[in-house]
Amino acid sequence: MDKVIEDFFKRYVFGWMYSDAGICEKHGANFGGVALICAYIDFMGKLYLGIGGDGQIKERFVKFTNDFFGEKYRPFSEFIYSDYRCGLLHQFFPKKGAGVMRGEENKEHHLKIDRENEIIPINLTVFFEDFRDAVRKYYEKLKEDKCLQDNFLTNNV
């Protein structure tokens, strides 16, 4: 694998991204933590697919989520994009039908449809764990796949 990719992940992803999202999770910045992770998913999708245009944000967000976050996220990837990513990053609040929490005691509520309150909540603690797992899967695939490496190098800043 290219040394540039390895160094980038060590410094920016495993370092800065994980640190910043972890601080949010630890200290209760629930909206901020979810917003950061959503921005990071968008960025990972850009590197993964090798597409960087503004008109393709949803495509790369949903594709990265579907390919690396696992089965539980597939039915919700577009909802997370529209209600959490777009809501938090453009309006500072999740859109209707979204709610944010964190902590071990609330893990079972993560992406579980709450029909009574008409929401699909995200637990920041679980979301952060799942994000790290998704990035690890992507990184392992990236180390072995020349096409993915080319995509990364095309879009790396």
Side-chain angles (χ1 to χ4, degrees):
M1 179 172 62
D2 190 296
K3 179 103 170 90
V4 170
I5 296 172
E6 189 176 330
D7 290 346
F8 180 89
F9 268 83
K10 183 177 181 182
R11 182 175 187 179
Y12 298 108
V13 179
F14 304 142
W16 294 0
M17 286 183 182
Y18 284 12
S19 176
D20 288 352
I23 288 168
C24 289
E25 193 280 326
K26 181 178 180 182
H27 295 287
N30 295 351
F31 282 15
V34 171
L36 276 175
I37 292 169
C38 285
Y40 297 160
I41 292 168
D42 175 27
F43 183 69
M44 289 290 124
K46 175 183 172 181
L47 299 177
Y48 171 49
L49 297 176
I51 54 175
D54 287 343
Q56 298 167 310
I57 296 169
K58 181 178 180 180
E59 176 186 349
R60 61 186 186 229
F61 184 99
V62 170
K63 181 75 170 147
F64 187 85
T65 303
N66 287 344
D67 289 357
F68 295 103
F69 273 77
E71 285 298 318
K72 181 172 186 164
Y73 282 81
R74 282 194 182 102
F76 300 106
S77 60
E78 290 191 27
F79 173 80
I80 294 169
Y81 171 80
S82 66
D83 283 44
Y84 284 101
R85 187 247 178 236
C86 292
L88 288 169
L89 295 179
H90 297 294
Q91 301 163 335
F92 184 69
F93 292 101
K95 293 182 179 180
K96 185 175 179 352
V100 180
M101 63 186 74
R102 77 181 207 305
E104 297 292 322
E105 67 279 3
N106 293 311
K107 278 187 166 187
E108 72 275 3
H109 300 293
H110 181 69
L111 296 180
K112 186 174 182 183
I113 299 170
D114 178 345
R115 296 197 192 288
E116 181 179 329
N117 297 305
E118 297 182 354
I119 62 170
I120 302 171
I122 280 186
N123 179 302
L124 175 57
T125 305
V126 176
F127 197 39
F128 183 40
E129 290 170 4
D130 292 346
F131 171 72
R132 288 183 303 204
D133 189 47
V135 168
R136 180 193 53 76
K137 290 174 190 172
Y138 166 59
Y139 184 65
E140 292 302 316
K141 191 171 182 175
L142 178 63
K143 290 193 296 189
E144 305 298 324
D145 188 318
K146 177 71 171 121
C147 181
L148 291 182
Q149 292 171 19
D150 290 344
N151 287 351
F152 178 94
L153 293 170
T154 297
N155 282 295
N156 187 17
V157 287

